[in-house]
Amino acid sequence: MNAGSGRAGNDNLGNQRITDNEETRDYEKPEDVLSLDSLAELVDHQNVIVQESVTQILLDRAASYDTLAEVVAACSVSDPVLRESAVNCVALLAKIETAKTPLVRLGALRVLSEVVRDPFERDVVRRDAVIALFKLVSGEDSRRSSLVRLDVLTALSKILVSDPSRSNDLKYWTLLLVHQLCVCDALHPALLATGFVPLLSQHARLSFGNTNTQKLCLHAVVRLVGQAEGAANTESELRKLIDMEVSAFISSCLRSDDPELAYWSLRLLFEFACRDIGRYAFSTQRGVLAGLMRTLGVGEPPAIRVALRTLKWLTSGNEDFQRHTLSTGIVRRLAGFLRSDDGETMTLALALVHELAENVDSHGELFETGCVKRLVELSPSLSVPLALYVADIFVFLCGSAANAMGVVGDGVVGAVVGFCKSNEPDLQYGGVAMLLNLSAIADDAIMLEIISSGGVAECQRLILSDNARRNVRTVSAKALVTMSSRDAGPFRNVILTSVLKPLCSKIVIATAQVIRLLFPPENSLVASVGEVLATGNLNSRDHYLLRIGGVYDRDTIENDSLPQSRLKQTKEAHSTSEGVREAIPLSENLIGMLATLTILANTPVFDNIPSDAGSEILLGVETVLGRVLTDLGSSLLDLVVLPLVDKETANAAGIDMIAISELNEGMTEGDPSHQTSDRRELRPKTSETSFSIQEIARKKLGLSVHSLDVIAQVVKYDTFRDYVVKEKFLSLIAPFIDHFNEQLARAALIALSSCIEKDDNAKWEALQHPRIVAAAWSTHLNRPSLAFFANLFLENALDFSLADGVDYVQLNCWDKTYSLLVSRDHLEIRNESWTFESIRATHGVSHSGQFAFEVELRTDGIIQIGWATRNCRYDPEAGNGIGDDLESYSFDGCRKQKWHGVTTKDNAYGDSWSVGDVITCRIDLDEREISYLQNGRSLGVAFQNVDSDNIWFVYLHAINCCTNGKISLI
C-alpha cells in the first residue's frame, strides 16, 4: 500500500468499521485483536513478509460492502491525494475474488473508466485504475462489454501510442487490459473500429526483446483478424499490416527461441495465407522459410499443420520460393508426414507435395525419398478430392522423360490405370490425362507397363462407354493416338479394329436413336425435300433425299419431282415430349463420340499398317472399316442437316413452330441481342413440356458442327469421299457457309476445303454451285474471323494463289506437321487440332548478317515463334517443337516465356501479346543473338551465343491458333 495520506484514509475507514461492529464483533482470529494504529506501524516494517501479511489483513477488513462503497466513492473526489489512495486501494481490493462483484455493483467500472479517460491524471493513478479494471473484467465477458460501453477504448489506444516518456508500467497494464478485451468475440467490431490491429502490431514491433509484450500483442491481433465479421474487414486490417511492413517482424518472431512467440507469429502469418494477402512480401523474407522449417522440425502437431498450410500458400505458383524451399530438404520431411497417423497432417503434406511437384527440380527427390511410392500406396484409399491431388502430382511426374525409370519402378502406371477404372469422372479424366502424358514420354519399358497394366484396355473401354464424360473420351483418344505414333504397326492395328471400327458403328446406331427420338414414328412425315429447300434455301434442282438415321423409304425420283422421305413405322411408342427430352442426354453422348472420332481420324498413323510383323500387306481405315465408312457417311449427313429441319421438333414437342434461323439467332453465343425484333415467343401448347427448346436447338447445332468436323477428317478416304459427294454433300451444306453462327460456318468451310482439295470432281461440283462461291467470297470480305477458312476454300476451289510463280521466303508446306492448315500463299497458318503443330520456312540463314521476320497474330493461343535448324524434330502429340530442344529458340507471349532446351529454367521474357500484335523475331549472326520486338518495341535480347555456323530457319509452333506471317530481310 501507498504511504502517507493513503494509509490515513484507510485508517479512518477501518475505525468506522470497528465502531459499527465493536459490540457485536466475535474475535475469531488472532490478528483481529490488532488495532489499526498497530497495523499502520507494521506496514513500514523492514521484513517484507510482515508487510505483505499486514496489507492482506487491512484488505480483508476493508472488504465489507459499506467500506467498499466509500472506497469507490473516494475515487471520484477532487482531492488528488485521497483519490490516488482510493484508486490504489481498489486496485488492491480487486485481487480479492469475493470483492470483485461488490466493486462492480458499486460502479467501480464507471469510476475507474473516468480516471483512465482523464488525460490530466497522473500516470501512477491511471496505472492503478487500469490494473483494477484488468482484475475486475478478467474472465467475465459481461464486465468486458460493460467496460467497452463506458467508452474506454479510445483512452486505452491513446495510452499505447503515447510518447516514450509515458510510464512503461501504464502501457504494460493497458496492454494486458486490451488483451483481455480481445478475448471477447463480441467486442471485436469495436476494437477493430478503434484501430487496435495496427496499433498492437506497432506496439509489438517497438517492444524489441520483450517477448511477453510481443506475445500478448500477437495473440490479440490473431484473435481480432481471425474472427473479424466479414472478409472485407479482415482483408482491410491485414493490408494495413502489410503497408506497415510487418512481414520482417513476423519473420524475426518465427525464429524466436520462445516457442509461444514463434507459434503466435506463425498463426498471424497463417491469417495472411488464408486470405491470400502479402504473399510476395512474406516469400521474399528469407527468415520466414527458416522459421517454418524450424516449426516442421520441432513444433507440436497443431503448429506443424499450420506451417504446412502456410508453406503451401507461399509455394503456390512461386518458382523462386519453390526452389528455396526445395533447397532446405523439405521433401524428405514431407515423406515422413505422408506416413503420419494424423490424417490432417498427411493431407496437408500431400497438398504441399502437390505444389512442389510443379517444379521439375523436385521430381528426383520425390522418387528418391519414397514420396512417390507412398502416393501409389495411398491412392486407392483416398477420398476423391485427395485422389485428385495425387492425380495432379502424377501428371507433373509423367510429363518429363527424365522420370521414365522412376515411373515404371515405383508403380505409378498401375496407380494411373486405377484412376481410369474409377467410377468418378474427375478421377477418370485424371487417369487418362496421365496416360496421355506417359505416352508422350513413352519408351519401350513404359509402353510395356501401360499395356500390361491395362492402360490401353481402359482407354478403349472409356471411348466406347455410354457413360463416359466427353472430355474423358477425347483425352483417351489422344492417349491412344500418341501411343500409336510410337508403335511400328501391331498396336495401331489393334486400335483400328477394336476402337475405330466399333466407334463408327456406335455412331451409326446412336444417330438412328437420336433421330427417332427427335422425330417419333407417330409423326411419320418427318420432312420433305421441299420443306428442307424452303428452310435452307437450297436449289430446287438439288435432289437430296433426307434419310433419318439410315432408316427411310425411297420414293421414285422422276424429273423435277421432289421425293418425300418418311420414317418406317417401328414398334416403339414414345410420348413425343418424353422422347425429345430423352434425346438431350443421348445427343450429348453422340457429340462426345463424334469429337472422339475427329481426334482418331485426324492422324495418319492408322493408314497403311502392316497386317503382321514383316508382312508386305498393308491395312488401313478403308481396308478395315469397309462398308462401315458408307454407313458412317449416311449418318453424318443426317446429323449435318439437322439445323435445317427444326420445324418438326417443335411440332413434336407441342410447341408453336418458329423458324430455325430465328431460334439460332436467339441462342448464338448466348446473346439475346441477336434475336429478331418480330420473333414470336415460344409458347408450349401443354404445361407438360418442361424441357427447353433452346437446349434442343443447341444440341442439334452441336451435332451438325461435330459431324462436319468428322467429315473434314474422314473425307481423305476415297470410299467415304465418293459417297458424300454422290449424296450432294456440297450442295447440302451451302447454307452454312455464310451462316451467322460462326462455329457452324467455320466447320462447313473446313469440310468443303478438305473435300475439294482431294477430289477434282468435288471441286468441279463446287464451282457449279454459285451460292457456294458467292457465300465464300462474302465471308472472306466481311467476316475477318472466318477469312482464313473462306480464302482456303476459294484457293482450293478456284485453284489459284498469290504465291504462284513467286520465289521468296515462305512457309514450307512440305516441312510441316500433319494437321496444320496453310494458306496457298504459304504465309498464313491455322491449327484446329489438339496437337502442337509446327512448320519451317523454305530458306535459312547462316554465318553472318542480320535477319528478321514478322508474325501478325490473328487469334490468341499458345504460339512459339523463333529460329531452328533442320535437326529440330517435330513431335506434335508430345507437344514438342521449336524451343523444346537445343536445336531451336522460341518465344511465347501467351505465357511470357522463352524456350531453349528440354528443361528450360528461368525463362521469363517479354510481355503478354494479344490479337492484332505484330511480333518481330530478329537474329543477329554477327553478335550471335536473337531478340524480339512487339509492335516495333524491343523486348530485349532473348538468347545469346547462338551458333552462327548452323543454318537457321524461320519456325512457327502453334496450338489451336491462327497466325499471319510476313517475312522480310533487314
Side-chain angles (χ1 to χ4, degrees):
M1 293 183 64
N2 292 337
S5 59
R7 185 176 62 206
N10 283 314
D11 198 19
N12 293 333
L13 291 170
N15 283 332
Q16 180 63 43
R17 177 179 176 183
I18 292 174
T19 302
D20 292 340
N21 300 280
E22 194 173 32
E23 296 179 357
T24 60
R25 182 166 180 141
D26 183 13
Y27 297 103
E28 298 178 351
K29 299 180 181 180
E31 58 267 25
D32 288 346
V33 300
L34 295 175
S35 67
L36 288 179
D37 291 334
S38 299
L39 291 172
E41 291 179 2
L42 290 173
V43 166
D44 295 327
H45 197 279
Q46 295 180 352
N47 190 308
V48 176
I49 298 177
V50 173
Q51 289 183 12
E52 293 177 351
S53 299
V54 170
T55 301
Q56 188 61 47
I57 293 171
L58 291 171
L59 290 174
D60 289 340
R61 291 191 181 183
S64 72
Y65 192 85
D66 293 340
T67 304
L68 291 177
E70 294 188 28
V71 173
V72 172
C75 293
S76 302
V77 299
S78 57
D79 182 356
V81 177
L82 180 57
R83 185 171 63 251
E84 177 183 349
S85 298
V87 172
N88 177 260
C89 186
V90 173
L92 295 171
L93 289 168
K95 296 179 181 179
I96 303 174
E97 196 63 34
T98 56
K100 290 182 179 179
T101 300
L103 285 170
V104 172
R105 291 176 178 174
L106 291 168
L109 295 181
R110 176 184 57 78
V111 173
L112 294 171
S113 297
E114 292 173 354
V115 174
V116 173
R117 292 200 306 269
D118 185 356
F120 302 105
E121 186 62 81
R122 291 190 302 154
D123 282 358
V124 65
V125 181
R126 299 179 79 186
R127 179 205 63 191
D128 288 343
V130 170
I131 292 173
L133 289 172
F134 170 74
K135 299 295 184 181
L136 291 174
V137 303
S138 294
E140 294 288 341
D141 283 350
S142 60
R143 294 176 189 173
R144 295 174 183 137
S145 299
S146 299
L147 180 60
V148 170
R149 287 195 294 270
L150 293 170
D151 195 25
V152 75
L153 292 182
T154 301
L156 296 177
S157 67
K158 290 180 178 180
I159 292 173
L160 291 177
V161 299
S162 56
D163 58 72
S165 63
R166 182 73 70 182
S167 167
N168 286 332
D169 280 349
L170 173 58
K171 290 184 178 180
Y172 179 73
W173 283 103
T174 301
L175 177 60
L176 288 174
L177 178 56
V178 170
H179 180 266
Q180 271 297 313
L181 299 177
C182 291
V183 175
C184 181
D185 295 346
L187 303 181
H188 288 178
L191 290 161
L192 289 170
T194 312
F196 272 101
V197 168
L199 193 156
L200 290 169
S201 300
Q202 181 68 10
H203 195 71
R205 293 177 60 187
L206 297 176
S207 303
F208 181 77
N210 190 336
T211 57
N212 287 332
T213 297
Q214 291 175 333
K215 285 186 288 188
L216 287 170
C217 291
L218 288 175
H219 179 234
V221 170
V222 169
R223 290 298 300 259
L224 289 175
V225 300
Q227 301 181 28
E229 293 184 2
N233 288 337
T234 302
E235 292 178 5
S236 174
E237 297 299 328
L238 292 174
R239 293 189 192 283
K240 292 176 184 177
L241 300 186
I242 292 297
D243 293 339
M244 294 170 56
E245 300 181 354
V246 75
S247 57
F249 169 69
I250 292 178
S251 172
S252 175
C253 291
L254 279 172
R255 292 169 288 159
S256 172
D257 292 331
D258 187 320
E260 192 175 354
L261 177 60
Y263 176 75
W264 286 114
S265 61
L266 173 62
R267 283 295 305 274
L268 181 54
L269 175 57
F270 179 62
E271 295 298 334
F272 284 94
C274 290
R275 276 82 178 179
D276 193 18
I277 295 173
R279 189 199 304 257
Y280 176 78
F282 287 107
S283 64
T284 53
Q285 290 288 339
R286 299 298 294 270
V288 168
L289 178 57
L292 292 172
M293 292 302 300
R294 180 177 179 178
T295 302
L296 293 182
V298 300
E300 295 295 323
I304 290 175
R305 290 193 288 267
V306 174
L308 288 171
R309 286 175 183 267
T310 306
L311 278 169
K312 179 186 182 302
W313 170 63
L314 290 170
T315 55
S316 179
N318 189 333
E319 291 186 15
D320 288 338
F321 195 83
Q322 287 173 2
R323 282 195 293 271
H324 293 317
T325 303
L326 290 170
S327 68
T328 65
I330 191 173
V331 175
R332 192 165 299 278
R333 288 187 178 177
L334 293 177
F337 291 141
L338 287 175
R339 299 184 180 278
S340 172
D341 294 331
D342 180 68
E344 188 175 357
T345 299
M346 185 275 292
T347 299
L348 293 171
L350 173 59
L352 182 51
V353 170
H354 176 268
E355 297 298 334
L356 294 174
E358 294 184 19
N359 193 307
V360 295
D361 293 340
S362 70
H363 293 181
E365 282 192 89
L366 289 174
F367 284 106
E368 293 170 7
T369 58
C371 277
V372 176
K373 282 187 177 179
R374 179 56 179 164
L375 293 177
V376 170
E377 295 170 0
L378 288 172
S379 58
S381 59
L382 293 175
S383 63
V384 172
L386 294 183
L388 289 174
Y389 265 129
V390 174
D392 273 352
I393 294 169
F394 287 167
V395 167
F396 298 138
L397 297 175
C398 296
S400 174
N403 299 330
M405 184 177 297
V407 166
V408 174
D410 284 358
V412 173
V413 177
V416 168
V417 175
F419 287 128
C420 296
K421 294 179 179 179
S422 170
N423 294 324
E424 178 62 39
D426 288 336
L427 288 179
Q428 289 178 346
Y429 179 78
V432 294
M434 286 182 277
L435 285 177
L436 175 58
N437 277 10
L438 282 171
S439 60
I441 64 170
D443 54 15
D444 291 343
I446 290 181
M447 280 297 299
L448 181 61
E449 187 75 11
I450 291 174
I451 295 172
S452 61
S453 298
V456 174
E458 279 305 305
C459 287
Q460 296 173 357
R461 180 185 68 82
L462 291 171
I463 287 174
L464 300 177
S465 171
D466 290 330
N467 300 319
R469 210 163 55 185
R470 188 197 307 186
N471 62 350
V472 173
R473 275 180 163 154
T474 54
V475 176
S476 297
K478 293 174 184 178
L480 290 182
V481 168
T482 306
M483 294 178 204
S484 299
S485 68
R486 280 140 177 76
D487 181 79
F491 182 81
R492 301 182 189 181
N493 194 19
V494 171
I495 302 304
L496 181 60
T497 56
S498 63
V499 178
L500 256 175
K501 187 173 183 178
L503 178 62
C504 291
S505 299
K506 285 178 70 68
I507 288 174
V508 172
I509 295 171
T511 299
Q513 292 174 337
V514 169
I515 297 296
R516 285 194 183 101
L517 290 171
L518 290 176
F519 307 99
E522 51 266 35
N523 291 332
S524 179
L525 181 58
V526 175
S528 69
V529 172
E531 291 171 339
V532 174
L533 296 177
T535 307
N537 296 320
L538 293 178
N539 190 302
S540 61
R541 298 285 180 179
D542 293 326
H543 303 301
Y544 176 71
L545 182 62
L546 177 64
R547 288 169 308 283
I548 304 301
V551 182
Y552 59 91
D553 291 328
R554 183 182 296 275
D555 293 334
T556 302
I557 302 177
E558 297 179 359
N559 299 325
D560 293 340
S561 64
L562 296 178
Q564 300 292 315
S565 172
R566 303 173 186 272
L567 277 175
K568 290 183 178 180
Q569 296 293 331
T570 62
K571 296 181 179 180
E572 293 87 356
H574 298 280
S575 167
T576 56
S577 61
E578 291 180 359
V580 177
R581 186 185 297 109
E582 186 180 348
I584 293 177
L586 290 178
S587 297
E588 177 61 27
N589 183 49
L590 179 54
I591 288 173
M593 288 192 284
L594 292 170
T596 303
L597 180 57
T598 301
I599 293 169
L600 293 171
N602 187 22
T603 176
V605 300
F606 299 117
D607 300 330
N608 301 323
I609 307 171
S611 58
D612 294 300
S615 172
E616 295 183 0
I617 301 175
L618 299 180
L619 302 177
V621 171
E622 287 194 276
T623 308
V624 174
L625 267 61
R627 172 62 188 273
V628 175
L629 280 176
T630 303
D631 295 338
L632 177 65
S634 174
S635 297
L636 292 176
L637 292 180
D638 288 343
L639 295 174
V640 165
V641 80
L642 280 179
L644 301 179
V645 290
D646 186 74
K647 178 194 302 183
E648 295 303 325
T649 296
N651 288 339
I655 297 178
D656 285 348
M657 190 279 293
I658 60 175
I660 181 61
S661 59
E662 293 180 355
L663 181 60
N664 282 341
E665 286 173 7
M667 52 79 66
T668 300
E669 304 299 331
D671 184 359
S673 63
H674 294 292
Q675 298 180 10
T676 56
S677 58
D678 59 347
R679 175 181 173 180
R680 291 173 294 175
E681 295 182 358
L682 296 175
R683 297 185 301 276
K685 292 180 179 178
T686 67
S687 59
E688 297 178 358
T689 305
S690 60
F691 56 86
S692 167
I693 192 65
Q694 285 89 350
E695 179 65 18
I696 297 172
R698 278 190 288 269
K699 294 302 181 189
K700 292 168 70 175
L701 184 66
L703 289 168
S704 180
V705 169
H706 283 280
S707 297
L708 288 170
D709 290 341
V710 174
I711 290 172
Q713 302 305 325
V714 185
V715 77
K716 62 186 175 184
Y717 302 115
D718 295 341
T719 303
F720 182 88
R721 185 175 64 255
D722 291 344
Y723 176 81
V724 296
V725 170
K726 184 184 69 174
E727 293 297 325
K728 305 296 183 182
F729 163 65
L730 302 181
S731 300
L732 175 67
I733 64 173
F736 298 151
I737 295 176
D738 56 354
H739 198 277
F740 56 82
N741 185 284
E742 185 171 303
Q743 192 179 18
L744 185 59
R746 181 175 66 250
L749 285 167
I750 293 175
L752 284 171
S753 298
S754 299
C755 186
I756 65 175
E757 182 183 15
K758 298 173 177 64
D759 192 300
D760 288 339
N761 291 331
K763 184 183 301 183
W764 175 250
E765 182 176 334
L767 292 174
Q768 297 303 306
H769 204 302
R771 162 139 194 196
I772 294 178
V773 177
W777 272 114
S778 175
T779 300
H780 171 71
L781 295 173
N782 301 318
R783 302 178 74 176
S785 60
L786 295 175
F788 174 84
F789 305 103
N791 188 54
L792 191 65
F793 166 73
L794 290 170
E795 288 183 333
N796 286 329
L798 303 177
D799 200 21
F800 83 95
S801 171
L802 297 176
D804 291 344
V806 179
D807 184 19
Y808 57 81
V809 180
Q810 54 188 312
L811 300 174
N812 191 347
C813 289
W814 302 105
D815 195 359
K816 73 176 186 68
T817 48
Y818 179 79
S819 299
L820 195 66
L821 301 176
V822 185
S823 63
R824 287 285 289 268
D825 63 5
H826 302 167
L827 289 179
E828 190 170 357
I829 62 172
R830 180 86 188 200
N831 180 18
E832 291 291 303
S833 71
W834 63 274
T835 52
F836 276 86
E837 300 296 316
S838 304
I839 190 169
R840 219 178 333 244
T842 54
H843 297 69
V845 297
S846 64
H847 299 305
S848 63
Q850 298 175 340
F851 307 90
F853 67 94
E854 293 180 342
V855 177
E856 178 187 343
L857 304 178
R858 295 290 179 86
T859 68
D860 54 10
I862 296 175
I863 312 170
Q864 292 175 205
I865 300 171
W867 300 86
T869 72
R870 287 195 184 277
N871 294 326
C872 177
R873 292 291 174 257
Y874 310 133
D875 191 349
E877 290 82 14
N880 293 330
I882 182 172
D884 296 324
D885 62 16
L886 295 176
E887 298 292 332
S888 57
Y889 299 89
S890 70
F891 162 54
D892 171 22
C894 180
R895 292 173 287 183
K896 295 192 296 184
Q897 292 178 321
K898 59 183 180 180
W899 306 90
H900 175 61
V902 178
T903 56
T904 301
K905 297 180 182 179
D906 300 322
N907 59 339
Y909 176 80
D911 298 326
S912 295
W913 59 32
S914 57
V915 176
D917 284 353
V918 175
I919 308 301
T920 304
C921 182
R922 179 175 179 270
I923 186 170
D924 186 339
L925 295 175
D926 298 325
E927 298 294 331
R928 302 173 63 195
E929 294 177 344
I930 293 176
S931 58
Y932 293 84
L933 293 84
Q934 184 170 347
N935 299 324
R937 179 176 57 84
S938 175
L939 300 178
V941 175
F943 304 102
Q944 296 177 317
N945 300 318
V946 177
D947 187 353
S948 58
D949 291 333
N950 277 328
I951 301 176
W952 296 98
F953 292 83
V954 173
Y955 196 116
L956 302 178
H957 180 54
I959 179 168
N960 196 22
C961 62
C962 174
T963 63
N964 179 272
K966 182 173 63 177
I967 304 170
S968 59
L969 298 180
I970 297 178

